[in-house]
Amino acid sequence: MSTLITTDTRFLNHDPGPGHPERPARLASLLSLLDKALPAGARVTPARPASDADIAAVHDQAYLAELRALAGQRVALDPDTFMSPGSYDAAVLAAGAAVGAVEDVWRGQAENAFALVRPPGHHAEQAQAMGFCLFNNAAIAAQAARRLGARRVMIVDWDVHHGNGTQHLFERRSDVLFASCHQFPFYPGTGAPDEVGLGDGAGFTVNCGLPAGLGDADYGAVFNDLFVPAGLSFKPDLVIVSAGFDAHARDPLAEMNVTERGFAAMCTAVKQLAEECCSGKLVLLLEGGYDLDALVGSVRACLEVLAGRREEFPAGAGSKSVAALRATQDALRRVGRGGDFP
């Protein structure tokens, strides 16, 4: 068994323009990492495009047609989100990489996987591009897992920005548990602790909004005290991570103080959760992370964890901030059922 890394040079063809933080250099730096420091036990495979059916399982057909009609053009979809001539094909490939990673892990062709893709996806709504995102890769991957036979899927989102699109796509469902820790209040303005799901999905959305300035031990408290117990109770058949690295202390778009070691600890926590619940079936999907050195170091740390070459655990309880403990306790209280899932 091995760790699968799926990526592709065609992701470099998505170019939002000069000065944009979600730039091709992000992926180029990760491709360079794979050339120089591929962990033992990991292998790289090319991505394949998503089918229209894969994408339409999440997004409106009219929205898919709208973006397809813009293929080959340079256009602004909103003040932050741009398409270049290669963007549509890159977005379809990113969604396909997410689906392919899920398929390979589900079928036992890899123990776990990391899809190094761009554009990112977790802000994309059912019929709207947003926050650098065109298609919602995590949601498309979760739907693929359900199609393959997974009864329950857990999506953990540790990007510093709340995954509004992913939450909205699943907030009325009980087959997908969405758990997010993010800077709050912050872009995109969603992710308050009282957003816990609607209707049949009430209690299956877990939001832990964190104040700026928190670090490794604080995120460790969120995972140890909130996400891992919720996951153990939910018993997913597959775990998907929206793995953004913009909570890093050096990231220019946020105000957190997480280090490479903190991301390795989060990855260790979800890997152990997946081993406990679903024979290790775990898929990470790249979201944000805009300081190149921080991105490379954090991705390397997570790949080492996935490949079984590293384990990290958060610092002891005494180093956790009061703010993190309060946020975790508030999220637990808001979910309402104490983390127990039928």
Side-chain angles (χ1 to χ4, degrees), residues 38-303:
L38 185 67
R43 57 188 173 90
V44 182
T45 63
R48 57 97 170 152
S51 68
D52 284 357
D54 290 331
I55 297 172
V58 166
H59 293 286
D60 287 352
Q61 288 277 9
Y63 175 66
L64 174 58
E66 176 189 348
L67 289 193
R68 184 187 291 116
L70 296 173
Q73 303 181 46
R74 181 170 293 280
V75 60
L77 301 176
D78 71 15
D80 299 312
T81 311
F82 300 87
M83 290 181 68
S84 66
S87 295
Y88 176 78
D89 289 342
V92 171
L93 197 64
V99 172
V102 165
E103 290 176 341
D104 283 349
V105 168
W106 185 260
R107 293 168 178 161
Q109 296 169 357
E111 183 175 0
N112 51 53
F114 200 152
L116 298 175
V117 302
R118 55 183 298 274
H122 72 154
H123 293 308
E125 299 275 6
Q126 186 173 2
Q128 180 185 355
M130 182 177 175
F132 312 165
C133 303
L134 303 183
F135 296 130
N136 195 307
N137 304 320
I140 291 168
Q143 284 292 87
R146 291 286 288 118
R147 170 176 49 79
L148 289 166
R151 295 181 308 108
R152 293 181 169 189
V153 178
M154 183 176 184
I155 301 175
V156 176
D157 190 329
W158 71 48
D159 191 280
V160 79
H161 303 99
H162 180 247
N164 56 288
T166 313
Q167 174 177 304
H168 293 154
L169 285 160
F170 294 115
E171 64 187 350
R172 293 184 178 274
R173 291 170 51 172
S174 61
D175 58 337
V176 176
L177 175 64
F178 175 70
S180 175
C181 54
H182 46 273
Q183 186 174 329
F184 184 83
F186 204 46
Y187 180 89
T190 53
D194 60 353
E195 296 174 26
V196 297
L198 303 169
D200 290 343
F204 291 86
T205 295
V206 182
N207 279 306
C208 191
L210 299 170
L214 301 192
D216 294 350
D218 303 308
Y219 275 75
V222 173
F223 277 74
N224 286 347
D225 301 339
L226 180 61
F227 289 175
V228 170
L232 290 173
S233 179
F234 183 67
K235 298 180 178 62
D237 299 309
L238 178 82
V239 180
I240 295 170
V241 179
S242 276
F245 297 96
D246 37 8
H248 195 282
R250 294 200 301 272
D251 197 273
L253 297 191
E255 302 161 323
M256 289 300 191
N257 287 313
V258 179
T259 69
E260 289 89 344
R261 186 175 182 183
F263 286 114
M266 287 185 263
C267 194
T268 299
V270 293
K271 183 171 184 274
Q272 292 181 342
L273 171 63
E275 289 168 349
E276 178 73 19
C277 293
C278 49
S279 302
K281 294 183 179 66
L282 172 64
V283 174
L284 272 62
L285 308 175
L286 182 64
E287 299 282 2
Y290 305 101
D291 179 279
L292 298 186
D293 289 339
L295 176 64
V296 168
S298 300
V299 168
R300 179 194 294 117
C302 288
L303 286 174

Side-chain angles (χ1 to χ4, degrees), residues 217-218 221 225 314-322 325:
D218 303 308
D225 301 339
S319 61
K320 301 170 187 175
S321 70
V322 172
L325 293 173

